[in-house]
Amino acid sequence: MKAIRIRHPATLDSLELVDMAPPPPPGPGEIQVRVRASSLNYHDYSVCAGLIPTADGRIPLSDAAGEVVALGEGVSGLALGDLVIGTFFPRPIGRHVPGSVFALTPGDGADGYARERINAPAETFTRAPAGWSAEEAATIPCAGLTAWRALVVDGALKPGDTVLVLGTGGVSIYALQIARAAGARVIATTSSDAKAERLKALGADHVINYRSDPEWGKTAFALAGNGVDHVVEIGGAATLPHSLMACGFGGHVAVIGGLSGYGGEVPTVLILARQLRVQGLLVGTPAHQAEFVRALETTAIRPVIDRAFPLADLAEAFRHQLSGRHFGKIVVTL
Ligand SMILES: NC(=O)c1ccc[n+]([C@@H]2O[C@H](COP(=O)([O-])OP(=O)(O)OC[C@H]3O[C@@H](n4cnc5c(N)ncnc54)[C@H](OP(=O)(O)O)[C@@H]3O)[C@@H](O)[C@H]2O)c1
C-alpha cells in the first residue's frame, strides 16, 4: 500500500511516497480502516515542514475518513463498510496525562493517516455523518471539531449571539457555518474582497477586510451593536488585541491559533474592564466528536472544500495552503 513518510531534515521537499506492507488482520478491539481521504491543517504543515519536531520516518496527517474493512474480535457498534473518522486526541487529554499532549496525536507523536490502511482501536474512530462523502468527513476531526468545541462546548453559543470569525481557513469557515446553524449573527474578516463575497454567500452578516481596515476590532464592536459575544481567534500575536477590542461585556474569546505568531502584547485592561473569558483550547475529545457528528446530521452544514489533491501531491497541497489562496478545507484523497 502507498504511504507518505517525513524524512529528516523535515521539509516539504523531503516528504517521501513509499510502498508499505498492508497491516495484518486487526487484533481484538481493533478495526481496519481503508483510508479514503484526509484534510490539511496548519498543524500538519508544521510537522511536515519541521516546525514541530517529529520522528524520522513519521507518517503525517491527523485527519482520516475511510471505510471499515475488517473487524477485530469483540468490536461492537461498527459494521463492515461503515464510513468512520479518526480522532485528533484518541484519548481524552488532561492534567493527569504525562508527557506531550500530542504524544498520541496521529501525524505528530504517533504515525498518522497518510497511508491507505490502518489498524486502530475501534474507540479511536467515530462514525461519520450519514450521507457524507469521505472527502467531506475528513474535514471534521481537526478543523470542524475545533470550531464546534470553541463555540458550542466552551462557548455555550445561543441564538441571537454575535460571532466574529477571522479569515477564511478551515476552522473559521466551519465556525461561520456552526454559528449560522445555531441562529447566531456572524461578522467575518478576510484579506480578500473576492473571498468577502463568498463569506456573504455562506451567511456572514458583515465582512471586514482586515488589510484595508486595520482597526477591524473596533469596527466589529460597532457592527455588533455593543461588541461581539464570541471570537474564534486563530491569528495570535497580530490579531488578539483586535479580537479583545471587538468583544462586548462578558465576551468569550476562544484562543485557537497563531497564524501571525504567538508573542505580542495583550491589552489586559480590556479583559478586566469588559470581564472577558479568554479560553485556550486544543481540538476536542472523541466524545465531543461523536456529539458534533450527531449535530451535523440535524443541520444543513456541509464543509466547504477548496480543492482535493492525490496523496502523491501532498507537498503541492501544502504549498497551496501556504499561498493563502484557499477558501475552506484542502483535502487529500487516497
Ligand atoms: N487549537 C486548536 O485546537 C487548533 C485546531 C485547528 C487549527 N488551529 C490553528 O488555527 C489556525 C488556523 O488554522 P486553519 O487550519 O483554519 O488554517 P488555514 O485553513 O490555513 O487558514 C488560513 C487563512 O487564515 C487567514 N489568516 C491568515 N493570517 C491571518 C491574520 N493575520 N489575520 C486574520 N486571518 C488570517 C487567511 O484568510 P484570508 O485569506 O481570508 O485572509 C488564510 O487564508 C492555525 O494557527 C492552526 O494551527 C488550532
Side-chain angles (χ1 to χ4, degrees):
M1 67 174 193
K2 297 287 180 209
I4 296 269
R5 288 195 184 277
I6 301 170
R7 294 297 178 200
H8 280 180
T11 68
L12 293 186
D13 292 324
S14 52
L15 292 173
E16 187 186 18
L17 184 67
V18 298
D19 283 307
M20 277 178 75
E30 288 186 337
I31 54 174
Q32 187 170 115
V33 178
R34 170 64 174 92
V35 181
R36 294 288 178 191
S38 183
S39 86
L40 302 190
N41 300 289
Y42 193 76
H43 176 258
D44 299 308
Y45 164 73
S46 302
V47 176
C48 288
L51 309 178
I52 295 177
T54 193
D56 191 16
R58 172 70 75 228
I59 299 173
L61 302 187
S62 66
D63 285 338
E67 71 262 11
V68 178
V69 291
L71 294 163
E73 201 188 310
V75 173
S76 59
L78 287 173
L80 293 180
D82 281 356
L83 186 65
V84 290
I85 49 182
T87 48
F88 190 91
F89 290 117
R91 307 252 183 283
I93 52 171
R95 272 189 300 185
H96 56 286
V97 179
S100 161
V101 291
F102 297 115
L104 299 178
T105 295
D108 187 332
D111 277 338
Y113 296 123
R115 54 175 143 172
E116 290 174 339
R117 281 172 192 261
I118 181 170
N119 286 349
E123 70 275 10
T124 64
F125 277 72
T126 72
R127 64 183 185 85
W132 281 40
S133 69
E135 287 81 359
E136 289 174 320
T139 65
I140 291 175
C142 184
L145 186 59
T146 300
W148 170 261
R149 165 97 184 269
L151 290 177
V152 179
V153 180
D154 292 349
L157 176 72
K158 52 188 190 313
D161 282 357
T162 301
V163 175
L164 172 63
V165 300
L166 310 185
T168 54
V171 175
S172 299
I173 297 290
Y174 253 119
L176 184 164
Q177 293 176 300
I178 291 166
R180 293 296 295 143
R185 294 189 181 82
V186 175
I187 300 173
T189 71
T190 179
S191 57
S192 148
D193 291 339
K195 288 182 178 182
E197 292 310 312
R198 297 188 66 186
L199 287 164
K200 284 184 191 151
L202 277 176
D205 298 277
H206 304 281
V207 182
I208 309 169
N209 187 316
Y210 62 85
R211 289 257 159 77
S212 55
D213 180 357
E215 297 294 330
W216 52 267
K218 285 184 181 161
T219 306
F221 182 96
L223 287 170
N226 202 16
V228 306
D229 300 291
H230 307 269
V231 186
V232 177
E233 178 28 75
I234 51 86
T239 59
L240 183 59
H242 299 281
S243 292
L244 295 171
M245 180 58 77
C247 284
F249 186 84
H252 161 234
V253 182
V255 178
I256 292 171
L259 286 174
S260 65
Y262 289 96
E265 285 187 16
V266 177
T268 321
V269 68
L270 283 175
I271 302 174
L272 284 167
R274 296 189 192 166
Q275 301 191 37
L276 306 182
R277 187 158 62 89
V278 180
Q279 163 94 55
L281 71 120
L282 287 174
V283 196
T285 64
H288 292 146
Q289 184 162 301
E291 219 176 61
F292 181 39
V293 166
R294 206 178 49 172
L296 287 167
E297 287 176 332
T298 57
T299 68
I301 294 175
R302 295 306 270 246
V304 176
I305 296 177
D306 175 84
R307 212 171 137 185
F309 290 81
L311 181 68
D313 295 342
L314 183 61
E316 195 190 332
F318 279 124
R319 288 193 182 96
H320 180 57
Q321 181 186 21
L322 279 185
S323 75
R325 288 196 307 272
H326 62 294
F327 184 93
K329 292 298 294 178
I330 300 163
V331 163
V332 171
T333 55
L334 292 90

